[in-house]
Amino acid sequence: MQAIGIDIGGTKIAGAVVTESGDIVAEDRVATQAHDAEAVVDAVIAMIERLAVGREIVAAGVAAPGFIDAAQSTVYYTPNISWRNEPLRDRVRARVPFDVTIDNDANAAGWAEFRFGAGRGFRDMTMLTIGTGVGGAIVSEGRLFRGGYGAGAELGHLRVVPDGLPCGCGAHGCIEQYGSGRALLRMANEMADAGGIGLALAEARERNGQLDGHLVGELIAAGDPGALRALETLGHWLGATCASLSAVLDPQVFVFGGGVADAGDLLLDPVREAYRQHLPARGYHPEPLFVIAEFANHAGVVGAADLARQHAAGLGR
Ligand SMILES: [Zn+2]
């Protein structure tokens, strides 16, 4: 039986029909009319209807950014679309002939890695998505961890530096300010300003007008010492954060996703090193694996579809 997964992003809504083994058999996408919350609801329903034509669909899962309640039905808050306490599941469910669930987008992506990607075969997984910001997902004893109200696993907003840099969430010193793609750019700019091994970064900034993720990624791939130093600093913060997460969650595997994770072991090596330095009672704590995510762009739709399928089957993951 196939399920539909929908992933509502800031610029596009992606949808797919997904098999029980996590394979995509049909896809769709439209632009997100983020300024019009009603239009987004209509676009999601229309996409589900289009994807369902001629197919036996068991359920549809919708992934959205922001806070979703633990019952997978209400969007408490989403940053780019003006949904506030929006009963999205009931509104979609009223228009389609199968079960519907709503999940946080980072949770859906993490679930896809756990079921079909880098976390498969494990029981306890923690995922950190290093994109512009830092997203997170936790699977504990084979179940997606949502928290008591559904707003758990916001790993990007763990505070790592008391009175540190201000964060978009309103707090200070969150790991998102020290371990994200945006943080990497800030560190690369600091390297460029300092001269020395930052020379190639400074030259690239001069040529291009500014540094961006693509330029820094190219310099990392070319082995530029300044860009590598910035990445190591980022990895150090992330590794220290993983040590704190291990003290609470004790995952068997940490999965790193997002654009910055394309750096592979160049990111993971400093993560592992900082993890060992910061782990409480190190030497006795079994060490988790640190791996790169396997899904590139489809984790959200695949995870949302699988969570919906499990809910329809009464498994309630
Ligand atoms: Zn924050």
Side-chain angles (χ1 to χ4, degrees):
M1 289 285 262
Q2 298 172 339
I4 290 172
I6 305 286
D7 189 359
I8 303 172
T11 57
K12 68 176 192 305
I13 302 171
V17 179
V18 183
T19 69
E20 275 175 58
S21 48
D23 295 318
I24 290 174
V25 294
E27 279 189 85
D28 197 356
R29 70 171 51 186
V30 296
T32 308
Q33 309 290 323
H35 58 279
D36 186 346
E38 285 303 301
V40 177
V41 177
D42 289 339
V44 166
I45 292 166
M47 185 175 283
I48 292 172
E49 287 172 338
R50 280 196 302 277
L51 288 167
V53 170
R55 293 192 169 88
E56 204 176 336
I57 298 295
V58 65
V62 182
F67 295 146
I68 317 287
D69 71 336
Q72 298 170 274
S73 66
T74 301
V75 180
Y76 287 136
Y77 164 82
T78 192
N80 299 316
I81 303 162
S82 61
W83 284 334
R84 303 291 182 264
N85 296 310
E86 169 69 32
L88 186 60
R89 178 173 74 184
D90 288 350
R91 294 193 58 193
V92 178
R93 179 70 189 85
R95 305 258 301 269
V96 302
F98 34 75
D99 195 34
V100 175
T101 51
I102 313 295
D103 272 288
N104 168 273
D105 56 353
N107 283 350
W111 185 253
E113 289 294 339
F114 175 73
R115 287 273 289 144
F116 309 113
R120 67 185 178 278
F122 295 98
R123 199 187 47 172
D124 285 79
M125 177 202 87
T126 299
M127 179 158 165
L128 287 161
T129 301
I130 317 300
T132 311
V134 173
I138 298 163
V139 177
S140 179
E141 297 188 342
R143 295 176 70 89
L144 187 62
F145 174 88
R146 295 187 175 86
Y149 300 103
E154 289 286 331
L155 303 183
H157 301 288
L158 277 175
R159 190 181 70 165
V160 293
V161 180
D163 303 320
L165 293 167
C167 183
C169 72
H172 286 75
C174 299
I175 184 60
E176 182 156 290
Q177 300 308 316
Y178 298 86
S180 63
R182 208 183 288 122
L184 180 64
L185 278 183
R186 186 186 73 242
M187 291 164 186
N189 273 302
E190 286 166 3
M191 298 296 302
D193 292 342
I197 63 167
L199 185 64
L201 283 165
E203 284 172 358
R205 184 171 67 182
E206 182 76 29
R207 260 196 326 274
N208 192 53
Q210 59 174 355
L211 287 173
D212 58 27
H214 182 71
L215 272 178
V216 174
E218 273 183 356
L219 284 168
I220 287 169
D224 173 64
L228 285 173
R229 178 74 61 81
L231 184 67
E232 279 165 19
T233 307
L234 194 85
H236 185 87
W237 283 111
L238 289 167
T241 302
C242 287
S244 296
L245 290 169
S246 262
V248 182
L249 300 167
D250 187 26
Q252 297 159 305
V253 60
F254 281 100
V255 177
F256 284 78
V260 177
D262 289 346
D265 278 335
L266 293 176
L267 173 68
L268 294 185
D269 286 345
V271 167
R272 292 183 184 107
E273 193 182 318
Y275 177 88
R276 289 180 195 123
Q277 285 170 10
H278 287 88
L279 188 67
R282 59 180 187 271
Y284 299 98
H285 195 293
E287 190 167 317
L289 290 175
F290 292 85
V291 300
I292 300 296
E294 292 181 9
F295 282 90
N297 298 318
H298 294 104
V301 291
V302 170
D306 195 68
L307 286 164
R309 182 203 320 281
Q310 304 237 0
H311 185 270
L315 293 171
R317 302 290 182 176

